[in-house]
Amino acid sequence: MNVQDGIQTHRAFIALGSNVGDRVEMIEKACLELDRAGIKVKRTSSLFETTPMYVLDQGTFLNGVCEVISPKNTLLSSSLLFGSNVNSQKVETTLAPMGLLDALQSIENTLGRMKLIDKGPRSIDLDILLYDQEIFSHERLNVPHNLMLERDFVLRPLCQLIPHERPPQSEKNSKTYMDYLKALPPPEPTPYSTTPISPSFPTIYATDPKRNTHVMAIMNLTPDSFSDGGKHVPSDMTYITETVRDFIAHGATIIDIGGESTRPGSTPVGAEEEIARVVPAIKHIRTSIPEASKIAISIDTYRASVAEAACAAGADIINDVSAGTLDPEMLPTAARIGKSIILMHMRGTPQTMTQLTDYPNGVIPSVAAELRERIEAAEEAGVRRWRIILDPGLGFAKTQPEDLEILRDLSRLRETEGLDCFPWLMGPSRKRFIGHITGVKTPRERVWGTAATVSASVAGGADIVRVHDVHEMWQVAKVADAIHRV
């Protein structure tokens, strides 16, 4: 038992599973219901695509684990808010394990779970794995969960949350949960972490070694971007149509739309102007360009109000260069509207970041530590781990040697504890460090240098490359995939 803000609380870990219908939606609804019931979802694991056990003739599962904090005394609603016809009843519980079990089963029932076959298909499955450090036995419940140490699909996500903890009442020299996971035979097929984007866009499997790299095309609807400022005029829908069609024809699967430059020393324009630039373009793409129905749209903004307006217009991803540091409402907004968000590493603001490039502990450990802090902030705001994409921020509060070190050691950054299983975006396109190395002063002429950085990004494990020169970089990524993604 813990004490939080003067209130006694319990910490529990709950397994999440679904293999019927929209699995991500069902798991996300279950997490919302936990929060509504006063059982705060503190952290989540990734969601892993796993094959079924026992009853093999059923669809693949999404499995994950969440850490929850529940107060000692609370009121739980047994009819929750997704069209249930059951009359709302409040049941007081101390949230001992049995009270928590009742709450979970109430949520399962509200979300329409029907258990027709033991260990068979189910739209939602919520199981208590751990409850504080208690050992508890009842005909309806055993804690720790009886088979959790034998199941990869339980231990894999659990180890993202508490890899170095030990089962209840274990000796200090006994095995950790990570030790138990490593001792299991490798599952076949390997479970892959999943990052949903939209119903019409393929899920990103960041741990699948055979995945293809997504090409994100840059569309800056700004007059002052460092490379293509003024090229795409927000009011010229004919030009936007032609540009989007060209992007798609040449391999782009994501279009990143921005209404304010974040180049070093850029001048902010304000939310209203930014919305006026991006929202009409996004609406136009979604309503008037049939070819764009299966591509994802990303909104490049650090303002919550712009992100929300853009997503309401049809954007699928929020791309925040500040990872939520420049607008305190960004992370709660992303959580509330349920969109995936790119958290980029940056220090300061676009106006000050060039003065914040000191990394005495090394750029890789420092970026890793600072990104972990932003992940924690996102989770505290309610953003689920499977909705997060990471970006090390090439050119943002980095010197040329630091940019090169990130490109050289991206795989080490990706494999750092706490950063594993996330998708990664790399944005090296036409950056200043390429010009310094090559002597090419004009950003639009840095195509060959950019090609080298895109190839290095794919080799390091990037899932998305953000580029200006779509046709050329699609070819680079395609060949790099053929070399490295085997």
Side-chain angles (χ1 to χ4, degrees):
M1 186 181 296
N2 306 293
V3 177
Q4 191 173 64
D5 298 326
I7 300 173
Q8 288 184 329
T9 61
H10 298 277
R11 182 178 76 151
F13 291 86
I14 298 171
L16 309 165
S18 176
N19 75 332
V20 175
D22 189 329
R23 301 169 299 170
V24 174
E25 179 184 29
M26 190 61 64
I27 289 172
E28 289 182 334
K29 283 183 175 181
C31 290
L32 285 174
E33 290 305 325
L34 286 166
D35 284 333
R36 290 178 181 177
I39 306 167
K40 178 175 172 53
V41 178
K42 184 178 180 183
R43 294 187 294 160
T44 60
S45 71
S46 302
L47 292 178
F48 292 91
E49 187 94 30
T50 60
T51 54
M53 296 179 66
Y54 310 115
V55 179
L56 303 181
D57 186 18
Q58 57 179 318
T60 57
F61 278 85
L62 285 185
N63 287 112
V65 171
C66 65
E67 177 185 357
V68 302
I69 302 294
S70 60
K72 182 178 179 182
N73 295 288
T74 190
L75 291 177
L76 296 178
S77 172
S78 62
S79 95
L80 298 152
L81 303 176
F82 295 105
S84 171
N85 293 321
V86 180
N87 292 328
S88 179
Q89 297 178 346
K90 298 287 186 177
V91 181
E92 187 168 353
T93 173
T94 60
L95 283 188
M98 295 306 298
L100 181 57
L101 177 64
D102 289 340
L104 298 185
Q105 291 183 342
S106 174
I107 291 171
E108 289 178 334
N109 292 336
T110 298
L111 296 181
R113 170 172 173 166
M114 297 185 66
K115 189 173 182 179
L116 302 177
I117 305 172
D118 185 37
K119 298 182 176 58
R122 45 210 182 269
S123 57
I124 189 66
D125 197 12
L126 305 174
D127 289 325
I128 301 172
L129 302 176
L130 299 166
Y131 188 88
D132 292 332
Q133 280 294 95
E134 293 186 18
I135 295 177
F136 179 86
S137 182
H138 185 274
E139 63 181 6
R140 293 175 57 208
L141 176 67
N142 288 291
V143 178
H145 192 284
N146 280 341
L147 301 176
M148 60 178 285
L149 298 180
E150 303 172 16
R151 293 177 170 177
D152 181 282
F153 67 85
V154 174
L155 282 178
R156 188 177 294 263
L158 183 66
C159 283
Q160 289 187 307
L161 303 179
I162 48 170
H164 307 301
E165 292 191 24
R166 293 172 170 81
Q169 297 186 12
S170 296
E171 298 294 332
K172 287 186 178 180
N173 61 354
S174 63
K175 294 198 295 185
T176 65
Y177 291 114
M178 181 60 76
D179 293 330
Y180 280 103
L181 176 63
K182 290 179 178 179
L184 292 178
E188 182 60 42
T190 302
Y192 297 134
S193 64
T194 66
T195 301
I197 302 298
S198 78
S200 61
F201 191 84
T203 297
I204 297 175
Y205 296 99
T207 56
D208 181 357
K210 297 181 180 180
R211 68 196 185 281
N212 292 323
T213 304
H214 286 281
V215 173
M216 174 187 278
I218 299 169
M219 177 177 281
N220 287 319
L221 303 178
T222 58
D224 59 342
S225 292
F226 86 97
S227 175
D228 57 354
K231 182 178 180 181
H232 305 116
V233 180
S235 60
D236 188 347
M237 295 305 167
T238 298
Y239 187 76
I240 287 175
T241 298
E242 292 172 353
T243 301
V244 168
R245 285 176 172 164
D246 184 69
F247 284 160
I248 296 170
H250 287 118
T253 54
I254 307 170
I255 297 177
D256 190 45
I257 298 178
E260 177 180 294
S261 174
T262 52
R263 63 180 173 79
S266 59
T267 302
V269 301
E272 289 187 8
E273 175 63 24
E274 196 177 350
I275 289 171
R277 290 175 178 180
V278 300
V279 165
I282 294 170
K283 287 182 177 178
H284 177 73
I285 294 169
R286 283 294 177 231
T287 59
S288 303
I289 308 178
E291 300 94 322
S293 62
K294 294 185 179 180
I295 63 114
I297 295 176
S298 170
I299 176 62
D300 181 2
T301 185
Y302 57 81
R303 293 188 177 93
S305 60
V306 177
E308 186 162 10
C311 290
D316 307 290
I317 306 168
I318 300 167
N319 183 11
D320 183 358
V321 297
S322 80
T325 61
L326 296 182
D327 185 344
E329 293 303 312
M330 176 60 89
L331 298 177
T333 297
R336 176 169 50 80
I337 65 179
K339 296 296 183 179
S340 295
I341 183 169
I342 299 166
L343 302 179
M344 194 191 83
H345 177 269
M346 182 179 74
R347 291 173 169 178
T349 68
Q351 294 73 44
T352 64
M353 63 184 178
T354 57
Q355 308 303 314
L356 302 172
T357 59
D358 187 26
Y359 297 90
N361 296 322
V363 67
I364 297 295
S366 297
V367 169
E370 290 169 28
L371 279 175
R372 278 197 297 265
E373 291 176 0
R374 300 318 304 155
I375 293 167
E376 290 174 8
E379 290 184 314
E380 181 64 27
V383 179
R384 310 309 180 197
R385 186 181 178 98
W386 55 81
R387 288 289 182 185
I388 296 174
I389 300 167
L390 299 178
D391 179 347
L394 293 175
F396 287 77
K398 316 287 189 307
T399 62
Q400 176 182 312
E402 291 159 353
D403 285 326
L404 295 177
E405 185 173 348
I406 289 171
L407 282 162
R408 189 180 303 119
D409 288 339
L410 177 60
S411 60
R412 181 160 67 98
L413 183 60
R414 290 174 57 248
E415 293 164 5
T416 301
E417 185 173 300
L419 302 183
D420 54 306
C421 297
F422 288 105
W424 286 77
L425 180 147
M426 293 287 279
S429 187
R430 301 180 181 178
K431 287 286 172 71
R432 183 175 299 182
F433 74 90
I434 297 173
H436 287 167
I437 293 169
T438 62
V440 178
K441 295 182 179 180
T442 304
R444 294 183 185 182
E445 296 177 2
R446 297 172 185 164
V447 179
W448 295 110
T450 296
T453 63
V454 168
S455 183
S457 297
V458 175
D463 301 272
I464 305 167
V465 288
R466 182 179 181 271
V467 299
H468 298 85
D469 305 292
V470 173
H471 184 44
E472 294 86 347
M473 297 312 130
W474 174 84
Q475 294 182 52
V476 173
K478 193 74 172 176
V479 175
D481 280 348
I483 296 170
H484 301 290
R485 301 289 166 86
V486 294

